[in-house]
Amino acid sequence: MNKEQIQAYIEENKDRFLDELIELLRVPSVSADPAFAGDVQRCAEVVKVSLEKAGVDHAEICQTAGHPIVYAEKIISPDAPTVLVYGHYDVQPADPVELWDSAPFEPVIKDGNIYARGSADDKGQFYMHVKAFEFMIENDELPCNVKFMIEGEEEVGSENLGIFVKDNTEKLNADVIIISDTSIIDNETPTITVGLRGLSYVEVKVTGPNKDLHSGVYGGAVDNPINVLCDMISSLKDENGHITVDGFYDKVEEVSLEDRAKMAEAPFNLESFQNGLGIKAARSESGYSPMEGASIRPTLDVNGIWGGYIGEGAKTVLPSEAFAKISMRLVPGQDHEEITRLFEDHFKKIAPGTVMVEVTGLHGGEPLVIPTNFKGYQAASQAMEDTFGKTPIPVRGGGSIPIVALFEEVLGLKSILMGFGLDSDDIHSPNEHYGVFNYLRGIETIPLFYKYLAE
Ligand code: BES
Ligand code: MN
Ligand code: MN
């Protein structure tokens, strides 16, 4: 098998490859919203059929307490290495829909990009694996056993997949896991992600008086829960951008200056970063660059805040309740359950005596780093080098894929995060898109990964 042979197959089939992806993107498989549960189910069906058509021996839909998991396999020999492909067919909600230039579930190809919710995260990326597999089957070039596990709950925390993995360790037995759900630095700079941040996600509620009050009759005598919540939130970080939650940094593994110097060699242009986002200036924890702030350091961000009157015009009200959703991205050394506990203790401690505070943990996941000195990584690196003409740079990513740490813990398997997206793909945002170049480059690279792994 060589690059030219794969390129010829792609050239011959690329219109169909795009049409099939577009069909998949038409299914609004939004996992967070129960209104779409039927579509999520239907999407699992579409994925299963696509795997059958591509040539697996066996494919099934595994129901869970939530959305189903699609499992499929092709076993060629007990002596060949086994690759487990993980991906997710669920997508984030499309809201706010009015900010999209075209409908989120009516894909269009424009200026070399496929626009649709899920195009980059993760349908366009896991489907590259289905088409790469099809190439290997059609050309009698499959050198490894393959297992596909494509889930429908990644965007809501993968809780049921965790149970499925624990219950099916035998079935999921493999040598390595490959995942395309991350990005490359740019289309000339191949990248392999070697770290993911963990996540602790909480919702907080601050309660003051037992009902909404007239803000003139009572204002000045009764503490306002929204004001209190804002004070509390603003105290969670100091002027250096350090998080003040007691014990938050205690177990953070500091990255050595040597490793940081190496990471800083990855291309990054501050000006185009800022311009692309329309911000006047980036901001990171003091002592760390923006790139470090978004990868090797933990964070605390308010994701949403509400309470009181937010309708048209003015209403003079002193509200009874205030709410916020807060996420903390975690780095190696930190444990998400412990951090959630520390947050809860701290948040209750700093609450003034005038209000009541509740903290509810929503979901979480552990951080991880992946070594570069094992066969799977080297196979991925070699494959990308063949197709990009450059050795990929190992980079720690800022996002989270909570199940990856569990793969290691429960299955004892390392994952290779060989994604082909770009940070500018607008995943989770309006106008999400995936480059046609990136989609086809992925299909071209993946069979070479199998080849080098089997060598
Ligand atoms: N594919 C992303 C994660 C990602 C994106 C990692 C880009 C690295 C680079 C994934 O689908 C995602 O969005 N994960 C969620 C976690 C989840 C529990 C909702 C996240 O990171 O917010
Ligand atoms: Mn994803
Ligand atoms: Mn996502």
Side-chain angles (χ1 to χ4, degrees):
M1 172 192 336
N2 59 40
K3 187 170 90 172
E4 288 67 33
Q5 191 190 352
I6 310 169
Q7 282 170 341
Y9 188 79
I10 291 174
E11 199 45 48
E12 228 168 89
N13 293 284
K14 70 175 180 216
D15 290 341
R16 177 174 57 83
F17 287 177
L18 285 166
D19 289 345
E20 288 175 14
L21 175 57
I22 284 171
E23 279 316 302
L24 183 62
L25 291 168
R26 279 188 205 285
V27 188
S29 49
V30 179
S31 51
D33 185 347
F36 292 88
D39 295 303
V40 177
Q41 193 76 35
R42 190 156 60 84
C43 193
E45 199 62 53
V46 173
V47 173
K48 175 178 173 248
V49 170
S50 76
L51 285 160
E52 284 166 343
K53 280 195 187 149
V56 296
D57 296 329
H58 161 78
E60 61 189 304
I61 290 184
C62 308
Q63 296 299 340
T64 71
H67 301 304
I69 297 156
V70 183
Y71 176 83
E73 61 182 31
K74 171 85 190 172
I75 305 297
I76 56 160
S77 154
D79 301 322
T82 302
V83 175
L84 176 57
V85 179
Y86 164 76
H88 64 94
Y89 67 82
D90 66 320
V91 301
Q92 285 276 325
D95 315 62
V97 175
E98 65 278 10
L99 296 185
W100 285 73
D101 296 330
S102 55
F105 298 106
E106 288 166 30
V108 292
I109 299 181
K110 205 174 73 187
D111 304 328
N113 287 309
I114 311 153
Y115 284 83
R117 171 57 87 229
S119 54
D121 185 12
D122 178 44
K123 287 173 174 172
Q125 295 222 59
F126 87 72
Y127 205 67
M128 300 180 312
H129 287 267
V130 182
K131 294 300 96 179
F133 173 74
E134 175 198 303
F135 160 79
M136 291 184 282
I137 293 286
E138 287 297 312
N139 293 277
D140 214 8
E141 291 279 9
L142 181 67
C144 303
N145 302 311
V146 195
K147 298 177 175 178
F148 288 92
M149 182 169 66
I150 314 295
E151 72 150 322
E153 295 193 320
E154 195 276 341
E155 300 291 7
V156 292
S158 301
E159 207 177 302
N160 291 301
L161 182 69
I163 298 169
F164 180 82
V165 169
K166 286 178 186 149
D167 288 348
N168 291 279
T169 53
E170 199 67 36
K171 183 181 189 134
L172 300 174
N173 185 26
D175 292 281
V176 74
I177 300 178
I178 182 127
I179 304 170
S180 295
D181 194 22
T182 50
S183 357
I184 51 177
I185 291 174
D186 59 53
N187 284 350
E188 281 76 52
T189 315
T191 314
I192 297 178
T193 301
V194 291
L196 291 167
R197 288 195 283 193
L199 185 66
S200 158
Y201 200 114
V202 298
E203 186 169 315
V204 299
K205 177 180 178 189
V206 175
T207 308
N210 58 8
K211 60 192 160 217
D212 285 5
L213 303 174
H214 190 292
S215 67
V217 176
Y218 292 97
V222 175
D223 223 351
N224 180 320
I226 300 182
N227 291 37
V228 170
L229 176 60
C230 291
D231 286 346
M232 289 172 72
I233 287 173
S234 66
S235 81
L236 293 175
K237 275 191 187 182
D238 68 15
E239 66 282 6
N240 295 315
H242 287 129
I243 294 154
T244 59
V245 173
D246 293 327
F248 188 81
Y249 292 100
D250 285 2
K251 295 189 178 160
V252 168
E253 287 165 17
E254 298 287 336
V255 179
S256 71
L257 287 173
E258 195 190 332
D259 285 350
R260 287 172 64 186
K262 223 160 162 204
M263 289 171 183
E265 286 169 16
F268 177 75
N269 183 307
L270 182 60
E271 208 155 311
S272 55
F273 176 79
Q274 292 171 164
N275 291 343
L277 301 177
I279 52 173
K280 282 190 263 179
R283 184 168 181 209
S284 50
E285 183 184 348
S286 77
Y288 295 92
S289 71
M291 219 172 36
E292 290 175 329
S295 61
I296 60 167
R297 296 299 291 167
T299 64
L300 184 151
D301 278 292
V302 180
N303 295 260
I305 181 163
W306 69 102
Y309 182 69
I310 53 166
E312 285 295 312
K315 178 189 179 198
T316 49
V317 60
L318 195 167
S320 162
E321 297 171 329
F323 302 83
K325 289 180 191 282
I326 298 174
S327 66
M328 288 161 278
R329 298 278 171 176
L330 311 178
V331 298
Q334 292 179 300
D335 173 286
H336 78 92
E337 282 170 1
E338 183 179 4
I339 292 292
T340 301
R341 236 173 6 250
L342 290 174
F343 178 90
E344 180 171 358
D345 293 347
H346 179 87
F347 208 67
K348 286 184 169 158
K349 197 187 82 186
I350 62 172
T354 50
V355 296
M356 257 169 31
V357 168
E358 284 166 64
V359 177
T360 313
L362 293 185
H363 57 219
E366 301 299 5
L368 88 159
V369 279
I370 299 164
T372 56
N373 59 353
F374 68 107
K375 177 121 196 207
Y377 183 92
Q378 278 140 18
S381 180
Q382 189 61 54
M384 275 188 142
E385 185 165 340
D386 280 8
T387 54
F388 285 88
K390 277 187 205 164
T391 310
I393 304 179
V395 168
R396 277 169 60 171
S400 310
I401 309 175
I403 202 68
V404 180
L406 193 126
F407 285 154
E408 168 130 37
E409 186 192 317
V410 176
L411 301 174
L413 293 180
K414 300 234 172 302
S415 296
I416 297 150
L417 300 169
M418 186 172 73
F420 292 84
L422 295 173
D423 284 347
S424 55
D425 285 342
D426 290 323
I427 65 172
H428 297 207
S429 301
N431 301 312
E432 176 176 353
H433 53 280
Y434 190 40
V436 173
F437 166 86
N438 304 70
Y439 179 56
L440 300 179
R441 178 56 59 85
I443 300 172
E444 181 188 344
T445 307
I446 292 163
L448 297 168
F449 162 74
Y450 281 76
K451 174 177 116 173
Y452 291 121
L453 188 75
E455 263 177 24

